[in-house]
Amino acid sequence: MGAIKIAENVHWVGVRDPQLRKFDIIMNTRYGTTYNAYLIRGEKTALIDASKAAFTGQFLDNIREIIPPSQIDYLVVNHTEPDHSGAITALLKENPQIELLCSGAAIPFVKNVINLERPIRGVKDNEILDLGGKKLRFLLTPYMHWPDTMMEFLEEDGILFSCDGFAAHISDDSLFAETIDKDVDFEFHYYWDAIMRPFSNYIRKNLVKLEGLNIQMIAPSHGPVFRENPRRYIERYKEWTADKAAGRNLVTVFYASSYGNTKLLGERIGAGLLNQGFELSYCDAENFEPEKVREAIEASRGVLLGTPTMNGDAVKPIWDIINLFSTVSSVGKKAAVFGSFGWGGEGIKLVADRLSGLKLKVFEENLRVRLVPSDFELNDIAAYCSRLAAFLNS
Ligand code: FEO
């Protein structure tokens, strides 16, 4: 399967990887994937993205169906993850004169990909590259998927080259979504959920940049090209990346408790926060459903984690919940940690440190109680909650 025309003088020159069953370690890819690249010919020629290194031969062959690689003027590097950048070095061997264009954030990454001295130019947001008859507008869209990520809008044809944004892992004989006999909508959502969801706060801002564009087609870096109602796919991203905590005052208490003491602390903290005007939700970590936990994290203004300490560590169900934080938009969220313990209570600090490492804002005061909370300790929780409420509201 070779190059495919998607508009006048615009060709898909990517490759298919139908056998791939895991992407980036974290994602199942039952239909494989594609590494999409696009060749745009005006008076000058631009190539948007490259390919995974293992597919370099096919990638170069597809380009050769349209023009010799030596005639490419620009390589637009939208993103330096190796599924798109792996073939750059081979392309530069074929054509050492290609000018490399990328976001400023991508420049050090590109250098570490090619390990060659080559001029690399960082483009500006909304800068236009005039190819002569085709104008490419650069849109810097950080964190869709990496901080380096950018997109282009081809003004004459209304094509948005969206890199990992609006992608789906599907390899099919057909390139266009409306002609693919697979559940494109499901894979489109699954890709967003696995790859894009942690960056929702950034994506929300990036989507604003697409509002004024007359988009006729979305050409992402993986899977189908969308040419029927492309705005529908942008609207879905808007819906999925909406701020779920906005307009709410929810605090979710995740806890694990062997003998009920940590649970009691969680309930008393919750009652104290209720008095401070918060909405409360509780989750027993021994019986959690991952998707509900992910939704709760996103919907909460703050999260509390309560753990006992066993063998110098927090308990596994709490770590299992913490492992879900990096799969959603949790950076900057407020958190606090509490727990009952018998000997050293190390688990509480380990959890607080881990949440800080995940870039949550963690209340500096961990609430720790040895074994059974006394009436005095329980009464003290009201004052703790006042300080915690001030932190959550700050
Ligand atoms: Fe398709 Fe983030 O690389």
Side-chain angles (χ1 to χ4, degrees):
M1 182 69 69
I4 299 170
K5 180 178 175 178
I6 66 169
E8 199 57 39
N9 288 324
V10 184
H11 286 82
W12 177 89
V13 288
V15 294
R16 291 178 170 80
D17 186 0
Q19 304 307 325
L20 188 80
R21 289 296 172 267
K22 270 289 185 205
F23 180 83
D24 267 6
I25 304 168
I26 57 168
M27 247 191 109
N28 296 318
T29 47
R30 61 179 166 160
Y31 299 131
T33 193
T34 62
Y35 311 109
N36 295 342
Y38 302 93
L39 199 62
I40 303 162
R41 288 177 302 149
E43 290 165 24
K44 293 200 162 189
T45 297
L47 174 64
I48 295 182
D49 282 322
S51 171
K52 197 171 173 177
F55 297 84
T56 299
Q58 180 69 60
F59 170 61
L60 293 174
D61 284 348
N62 288 351
I63 293 172
R64 284 188 197 103
E65 284 188 15
I66 311 301
I67 56 165
S70 59
Q71 291 181 13
I72 298 170
D73 297 288
Y74 304 101
L75 172 62
V76 177
V77 181
N78 275 341
H79 173 32
T80 40
E81 192 167 3
D83 52 333
H84 310 293
S85 65
I88 293 178
T89 307
L91 184 65
L92 290 175
K93 279 186 187 150
E94 294 256 336
N95 179 352
Q97 305 308 317
I98 289 181
E99 184 175 357
L100 294 166
L101 304 177
C102 61
S103 68
I107 292 174
F109 299 164
V110 174
K111 286 182 178 171
N112 289 132
V113 167
I114 62 177
N115 294 310
L116 296 167
E117 281 303 318
R118 285 282 187 285
I120 305 166
R121 185 161 75 81
V123 299
K124 294 188 175 61
D125 198 26
N126 263 316
E127 179 180 331
I128 288 180
L129 177 69
D130 192 344
L131 298 172
K134 300 271 189 193
K135 289 195 190 71
L136 266 184
R137 180 184 295 275
F138 295 106
L139 305 165
L140 301 187
T141 52
Y143 294 97
M144 285 180 84
H145 159 218
W146 281 7
D148 62 350
T149 306
M150 65 178 191
M151 302 182 181
E152 293 74 44
F153 183 62
L154 184 58
E155 307 258 335
E156 290 75 6
D157 301 278
I159 303 174
L160 179 71
F161 298 100
S162 58
C163 192
D164 281 349
F166 314 113
H169 283 314
I170 295 176
S171 173
D172 192 88
D173 288 344
S174 180
L175 181 63
F176 297 102
E178 76 278 7
T179 61
I180 292 175
D181 186 22
K182 295 182 171 75
D183 194 343
V184 174
D185 279 358
F186 177 89
E187 297 300 330
F188 182 81
H189 179 266
Y190 177 45
Y191 184 96
W192 171 81
D193 189 58
I195 303 290
M196 292 288 157
R197 188 168 172 178
F199 308 109
S200 291
N201 289 340
Y202 293 97
I203 294 171
R204 226 171 19 249
K205 292 174 194 158
N206 289 330
L207 294 178
V208 174
K209 297 185 179 184
L210 308 183
E211 275 174 9
L213 304 177
N214 182 18
I215 296 170
Q216 301 297 315
M217 188 185 298
I218 297 177
S221 63
H222 299 286
V225 167
F226 301 100
R227 58 183 180 184
E228 284 195 353
N229 196 5
R231 277 277 161 199
R232 171 176 177 255
Y233 299 92
I234 296 171
E235 290 304 316
R236 297 182 84 193
Y237 265 43
K238 271 191 198 167
E239 177 192 333
W240 296 336
T241 58
D243 184 355
K244 312 295 189 304
R248 297 189 69 179
N249 219 7
L250 176 66
V251 172
T252 300
V253 183
F254 300 102
Y255 67 90
S257 191
S258 301
Y259 299 104
N261 295 319
T262 296
K263 180 181 180 188
L264 176 61
L265 291 176
E267 288 170 347
R268 289 302 180 96
I269 296 169
L273 290 177
L274 208 56
N275 283 337
Q276 299 282 341
F278 289 91
E279 178 190 350
L280 264 295
S281 171
Y282 296 88
C283 173
D284 182 343
E286 286 188 77
N287 304 298
F288 75 89
E289 294 174 43
E291 186 48 36
K292 287 194 173 163
V293 168
R294 297 170 86 214
E295 287 172 1
I297 295 167
E298 289 180 325
S300 298
R301 170 187 286 245
V303 290
L304 309 186
L305 283 101
T307 183
T309 296
M310 287 190 186
N311 305 325
D313 197 1
V315 295
K316 183 174 180 297
I318 288 295
W319 289 126
D320 289 344
I321 283 180
I322 292 171
N323 281 338
L324 295 171
F325 275 74
S326 66
T327 72
V328 296
S329 179
S330 65
V331 171
K333 207 162 276 282
K334 305 274 180 63
V337 186
F338 64 94
S340 162
F341 64 98
W343 307 342
E346 298 91 339
I348 299 162
K349 182 171 186 307
L350 290 171
V351 167
D353 288 348
R354 178 70 183 129
L355 294 174
S356 290
L358 289 167
K359 297 192 172 66
L360 278 81
K361 293 180 181 161
V362 182
F363 189 40
E364 60 185 8
E365 201 178 330
N366 298 328
L367 193 143
R368 307 165 81 252
V369 170
R370 191 184 291 274
L371 295 169
V372 182
S374 67
D375 287 345
F376 179 76
E377 286 166 325
L378 291 174
N379 288 336
D380 250 9
I381 288 177
Y384 167 83
C385 285
S386 294
R387 298 189 294 276
L388 178 57
F391 167 75
L392 293 171
N393 285 323
S394 64

